[in-house]
Amino acid sequence: MLNKSFLFLVFAHVSFIVTAQQTALDKAFHVPANFQQSPSQMDSLIALGPQAGKAEYKRLYLISRLYRESDTDKAMEFTKSSIEQIEKGDDLYSLQTIYTAYGHTLQVQGNYPAATRYFTKALAILEKQKDTLSMAYKYILLAYTGTTGTSNEYETKMAYLGKSFELFKRITDYEGIGGATHGMALDNYYKVEVHPSVTNREMLLKEALEYAILAEKNFGLANWKDRVAATLVTQGQIHALAGRLSIGRSLIQKGYLLHKKEKSNLGMQRCAWSMAKILFAQQKYDSAIFFMQQSAILLEKANTNSDLAYNYDFQTLIFKAMKNYPEALRTNELARGYYQKTFTVNRMSEVNDIKNSYENQLKDSQIKELESEKLLQENIAKQQAIISISVIVILSVIIGLGGFAFYQRRKSVHQMKENIKLGNLLQKNLEDKLQDTQLAALKAQMNPHFVGNAIIAVQNLILQEKKEDALHYLNDFSKLTRHALENSKKETISLKEEVEFLEHYFHLEQLRYPNKFDFEITIDQSIDDPGYERIPPMMVQPFVENAIKHGLHFKHDKGFVKVVFQLIDANLRCTIEDNGVGRGAAALLGQQQRTSHSTAITDARLELLQQKAVHQNKYKIQIEDLFIEEKAAGTRVVITIPTGERSLVIGQGKI
């Protein structure tokens, strides 16, 4: 269907994605807590004031779109007030533009009947315009208003979009070409998604990808970066539906970063939602929930009730798959609430539209029938009375019956749930207080243990008459002790702080055991920001101490200790490895097994931390003896610290 050069572009585009290095994709997706729509462009457009000709409709459309990204209620207010002003004049181009913008806002809110009415008003104006550009936009509007619910919806929509594409191509309108081809890509994609067993599935997905890449190219030529981002996300969805999940994830990440740069709330939430669908298909439920929560936050910023209802419905589906029924019940109730809000908004919008239509009809009738004004006024009064009374009676009956039934049903259910929640809350508070007290006690035990070992080391240096070494040791020890005491007051510290603490400790032990060992601390490239990752304080030091004291102390040649931090599947993994004599040899030499008092305290801390955690991943400590040709060659300790709980904290967490 498309020429060879375009197919080459498809191949080159996919090849680039496949060969690109996969990074920690999930880290890119989190919404800063202080994220706000940038007001600069909005303010400048408003301050610019009304313009002449097409410049005015462009200004109105951009303001409406910016409002729609940040708050659909504000978008509604702006477009309604603009309609009232423009209807007083004769600027039909701006009027059809603001009708279209109002329709798009209603569409985002889920009020599809009202959106269709305003799109139809815009089409009526466009039919009076004889230029090609108006006709091209007319076909795009027809594709989305004249096909929904029809038996051949996809085919009709594709036909309208195809006509629009040809007209835009004739006048070389890159923005219009991008809009038409992106619509064609989405039409093919949804046809396969809604009907997975469609016979020509592969051909439809192939064409959808070609259209999406062409749309990306033309939006790029029009310098519309936000729409470029949207086409990248569509490409990612198509690849994912075709089973190419890694390519799909990469494209969605790329689109997300561009949407984020352009400060597009709705674009960012579409990325998060798309990623959640991929992860749900892979049964990665914790990560899928994280992305849906990010999507919900963005939708709440834009105040889009219908999409929030769909969001919480999907969260309910994920929680059911996780067998987390309390959360499934909570999200289900939220979904029902947003559906109710959408229903209320739609009904009120219909009433207002009827009222506005009626008032406009009255104005036209007054102009045409001035001679029979008295009779007309009497008829108007009667009609107004009838309509007002009918509307009031119907609304009163509906609201009264619905409210009574809803009240009776909710009253009993609410009381039962409140009793259950109160009992669970009291029990949870008691358990949390007990766990916090136990954790504090364990951390209090850790510090004396650490300080005691250090003082013994100083005494040994003094007894050996190594006074200068003792003074250096005491100086470094005072700094390390200060860090240890400060960290003991915190529930978690940054990975960067933990690494600095370990480096100080290693240097002290090298003073204590000169020329006995070397060490290396490595932060893997999977961790973007060591200052961001969190870890319980004094978690790694006890195992480093064991490696030196029990593993390297009795080694004849120079030893080595390696500490590596990695981020693997929402877990922070720390590996402590030494090439010492091994646990068995240490026991034969009169030393206790490698499980020291500090290690026992650490085990107890991890058990309590696991009880407090809200995520399903487990804290783990694994100890492994290393051998070379059946000869003991050291010990490896792997500490697994889950980070999944941070995904619930917007601005601080990522999966």
Side-chain angles (χ1 to χ4, degrees), residues 10 54 62 74 85 123 133 145 201 278 291 303 322 343 363 367 393 410 508 541 563 578 602 634:
V10 176
K54 294 185 178 181
L62 286 174
K74 289 183 179 179
Q85 293 297 320
L123 287 174
L133 183 64
T145 60
R201 172 190 173 93
I278 294 176
F291 283 109
N303 195 24
M322 297 169 67
F343 174 83
K363 292 177 183 178
I367 294 173
V393 170
R410 292 289 295 173
L508 285 177
Q541 184 273 338
V563 181
D578 66 72
T602 302

Side-chain angles (χ1 to χ4, degrees), residues 3 28 346 396:
N3 57 36
N346 290 352
S396 298

Side-chain angles (χ1 to χ4, degrees), residues 228-288:
V228 170
T231 61
L232 290 172
V233 178
T234 300
Q235 292 174 50
Q237 291 177 314
I238 295 168
H239 279 294
L241 194 58
R244 299 182 289 272
L245 299 182
S246 61
I247 298 176
R249 286 164 63 96
S250 296
L251 284 166
I252 293 170
Q253 179 197 23
K254 186 177 178 181
Y256 174 87
L257 295 175
L258 189 52
H259 273 311
K260 186 175 181 181
K261 184 177 180 181
E262 293 298 304
K263 297 187 179 296
S264 171
N265 280 352
L266 297 181
M268 290 163 64
Q269 80 82 21
R270 182 185 174 214
C271 294
W273 197 314
S274 301
M275 187 59 61
K277 290 170 67 176
I278 294 176
L279 293 166
F280 179 75
Q282 294 176 317
Q283 298 184 353
K284 296 181 179 180
Y285 300 131
D286 283 340
S287 298

Side-chain angles (χ1 to χ4, degrees), residues 333 405-415 417:
E333 289 179 351
F406 182 76
Y407 172 77
Q408 291 295 327
R409 178 177 176 275
R410 292 289 295 173
K411 184 177 179 181
S412 57
V413 175
H414 177 73
Q415 187 61 46
K417 290 181 179 178

Side-chain angles (χ1 to χ4, degrees), residues 433-481:
K433 288 180 180 179
L434 177 60
Q435 290 171 351
D436 289 341
T437 302
Q438 291 172 330
L439 277 171
L442 288 173
K443 284 198 287 186
Q445 293 179 44
M446 180 64 74
N447 288 325
H449 170 84
F450 172 73
V451 173
N453 285 347
I455 291 174
I456 291 172
V458 175
Q459 290 175 342
N460 289 336
L461 289 172
I462 293 173
L463 290 174
Q464 296 173 23
E465 295 185 355
K466 297 180 179 179
K467 296 181 180 180
E468 186 174 348
D469 288 345
L471 287 174
H472 283 300
Y473 191 94
L474 281 172
N475 183 47
D476 289 340
F477 170 65
S478 65
K479 297 178 183 178
L480 192 65
T481 304

